[in-house]
Amino acid sequence: MQRKIIVCGPPHSGKSVFLANLMRQLPPDSFYLAFAAPDGEWHWSNYGDQDLVKVVRQKGKFSPDFVNNMIDVIRRNEQPLVLVDTGGVRSAENATIFEVCDGCIILSSKPEETVAWREFAREHSVQIIAELDSVLHSTCELYADHGDRVIRGRISGLERGHTIKSPVLEAVAELLREIIRENAEFTLAEMQAHINGAVLVQRLGVEDTHDPYLGVRPEHLRRALRLTTTARELELVRIWNVRASILASAYATSLPGQVELYDVKLGYVRLPEVVPQGEGDGAGAVEWEVIELPEFTVVKWRNLRFVTVDDLNRLTPPGVDTTKPVVLVNQEPPMWVHATFARAYFRAGCPWVGQFWPMESARPQPQLGGRRWDEVHPFAGPAVVVAGPEEKVGEVFPISFNLLQWDTPVVSVSGDKIVHGS
């Protein structure tokens, strides 16, 4: 049975919104979503404040590096189901990505594009499992079965931030749940884990685990660390299926021994011990921006290309005044980069370390009396304390839009640091 399913179709057909709604219908710890289009839209952009999305989104371009990384992510992934969100052009890059997939869902707002994507899939030996007409305003309808096991229907209302209910969506979800059941064996990496993210969220009592982060929110961090106190006695801790980078960073900074985070492409990645110093070293993979403020120092970085494990061992974050807290700003994967930097600054002596976490930007907040973050802080994104005194871990605080923007364009991949005064 097909296991690696690509969602394709022309631009502006609602693919990302469709996927965000589809994921809510699936067992949350049994699938992986690969973003195979370098458009800067990660999981959080379907859930977050759309004004914030416009501020921090960094659009990229297809490159051999990007395509090769995606191929490895899809091919080596051990999850029972791999969903692939691709770009809207039938390009050579997308053809290469198609060739490592075995099934596809065509979502199209144009009938002629459905025909073209159908032929594109067949050219690359990808079996079509669903053909869906996307419309903004109409009813949802599941079309008659043609006897070929292809789900066909009309789906409407795929607007960013909207939750939809549809017999078409449910039919696709049931087929994918069947795929998950067929491929649900335990993996070696899962068996090797000391901390299992899927088990952890059950122990935390997370009510809704159907977002891309298994429902982990800032208020869960403190209890998650308490539940795994015995891991502090281990010289090496392997962490599997933790989806929220704020939780990965909290573990990286609180565990005294070595830490390995599971990566779907690489297996377990050991976090290196790095010391912030000087202007930092981006290793040609990232560039830095440091902003000194009276209350804390903002350390921002953006990926100039995909960061590899070899890069990780060569990256050095810039030195800062360690008498002040540090707030890390970046929304791109991989999470083992975030965790490494958080661990580095906390071990260097910073009183606490915060991390930009845009996922909370459109959500009601317990500490705000149930009001949405973007209603109370319309021009600021949320950051979360991931390391520091126990009573402070999990605290959410604002960081203004102007601190999140990049004002200096990337000139070359060799740049390392840009310093802005307060």
Side-chain angles (χ1 to χ4, degrees):
M1 176 175 282
Q2 296 81 20
R3 176 169 167 258
K4 297 171 182 178
I5 309 297
I6 192 166
V7 179
C8 61
H12 311 301
S13 294
K15 293 189 296 293
S16 295
V17 180
F18 172 77
L19 277 162
N21 279 273
L22 182 61
M23 288 190 295
R24 300 194 70 84
Q25 305 293 322
L26 303 175
D29 61 336
S30 299
F31 69 90
Y32 179 86
L33 175 60
F35 287 98
D39 57 8
E41 292 190 13
W42 308 105
H43 286 305
W44 76 270
S45 65
N46 286 305
Y47 296 83
D49 170 23
Q50 295 307 300
D51 289 332
L52 181 59
V53 172
K54 294 173 185 175
V55 169
V56 303
R57 181 180 177 187
Q58 298 286 334
K59 287 191 177 184
K61 295 181 179 179
F62 274 115
S63 67
D65 179 64
F66 177 89
V67 173
N68 290 336
N69 184 79
M70 279 295 104
I71 289 171
D72 284 345
V73 166
I74 297 165
R75 180 185 288 138
R76 299 181 186 180
N77 203 298
E78 295 182 338
Q79 287 283 59
L81 171 68
V82 181
L83 294 171
V84 182
D85 185 0
T86 189
V89 179
R90 293 177 296 280
S91 62
E93 293 86 358
N94 270 334
T96 305
I97 294 169
F98 260 74
E99 287 171 0
V100 293
C101 297
D102 45 33
C104 79
I105 297 168
I106 299 173
L107 181 69
S108 176
S109 56
K110 301 175 181 179
E112 66 275 14
E113 282 290 306
T114 299
V115 175
W117 280 101
R118 183 189 301 145
E119 183 58 31
F120 191 73
R122 288 173 178 165
E123 286 175 2
H124 299 288
S125 302
V126 174
Q127 184 174 339
I128 299 167
I129 66 171
E131 290 185 0
L132 310 179
D133 298 327
S134 175
V135 296
L136 272 181
H137 307 292
S138 185
T139 56
C140 295
E141 180 183 353
L142 192 60
Y143 300 156
D145 186 358
H146 291 193
D148 55 5
R149 295 208 68 195
V150 176
I151 297 169
R152 294 180 175 85
R154 180 176 63 237
I155 190 164
S156 67
L158 293 175
E159 297 180 78
R160 192 179 296 281
H162 287 198
T163 299
I164 64 170
K165 292 184 178 180
S166 160
V168 179
L169 183 71
E170 174 55 32
V172 174
E174 179 51 35
L175 177 58
L176 298 185
R177 289 193 289 263
E178 182 182 346
I179 292 173
I180 289 171
R181 289 191 291 269
E182 288 288 325
N183 297 294
E185 70 276 4
F186 285 102
T187 66
L188 179 60
E190 185 177 359
M191 303 285 283
Q192 292 174 329
H194 300 103
I195 296 175
N196 181 319
V199 173
L200 178 66
V201 295
Q202 295 175 13
R203 296 286 298 276
L204 286 170
V206 176
E207 294 181 2
D208 183 3
T209 60
H210 285 84
D211 70 34
Y213 309 98
L214 297 183
V216 170
R217 299 190 62 183
E219 60 265 28
H220 295 128
L221 298 190
R222 207 175 306 164
R223 177 160 166 73
L225 297 181
R226 289 192 195 128
L227 284 173
T228 51
T229 300
T230 53
R232 294 179 58 84
E233 300 175 11
L234 301 176
E235 293 181 2
L236 169 65
V237 180
R238 290 193 177 100
I239 302 173
W240 182 83
N241 209 8
V242 163
R243 307 282 183 87
S245 66
I246 53 171
L247 181 54
S249 294
Y251 277 128
T253 53
S254 66
L255 293 169
Q258 295 179 316
V259 174
E260 291 184 353
L261 296 178
Y262 182 72
D263 181 281
V264 296
K265 182 180 73 170
L266 303 168
Y268 283 105
V269 173
R270 184 167 298 185
L271 304 186
E273 301 298 340
V274 298
V275 179
Q277 55 186 301
E279 295 186 349
D281 185 354
V286 306
E287 69 170 349
W288 307 103
E289 183 175 359
V290 177
I291 306 173
E292 295 285 352
L293 299 173
E295 63 273 35
F296 50 69
T297 303
V298 176
V299 176
K300 303 186 335 191
W301 75 94
R302 60 176 167 183
N303 300 3
L304 300 175
R305 55 173 170 76
F306 264 90
V307 181
T308 68
V309 169
D310 289 339
D311 294 325
L312 183 65
N313 291 304
R314 295 186 295 125
L315 289 171
T316 302
V320 297
D321 178 0
T322 56
T323 65
K324 292 194 299 185
V326 163
V327 180
L328 304 175
V329 175
N330 181 280
Q331 76 274 10
E332 297 180 286
M335 71 167 62
W336 32 263
V337 175
H338 298 249
T340 295
F341 294 164
R343 183 176 171 103
Y345 282 112
F346 193 54
R347 292 197 166 193
C350 293
W352 54 265
V353 177
Q355 184 172 320
F356 175 52
W357 186 239
M359 182 66 176
E360 293 295 320
S361 59
R363 285 178 152 181
Q365 299 295 319
Q367 75 275 18
L368 298 178
R371 297 177 67 191
R372 280 173 44 133
W373 176 270
D374 55 355
E375 293 172 344
V376 179
H377 302 288
F379 302 108
V384 179
V385 177
V386 295
E390 181 182 3
E391 66 275 9
K392 194 168 183 65
V393 171
E395 179 182 307
V396 187
F397 60 96
I399 180 165
S400 66
F401 280 3
N402 66 323
L403 294 176
L404 299 171
Q405 292 175 310
W406 279 82
D407 299 319
T408 305
V410 178
V411 177
S412 72
V413 296
S414 60
D416 282 333
K417 185 182 180 187
I418 304 161
V419 180
H420 288 185
S422 59

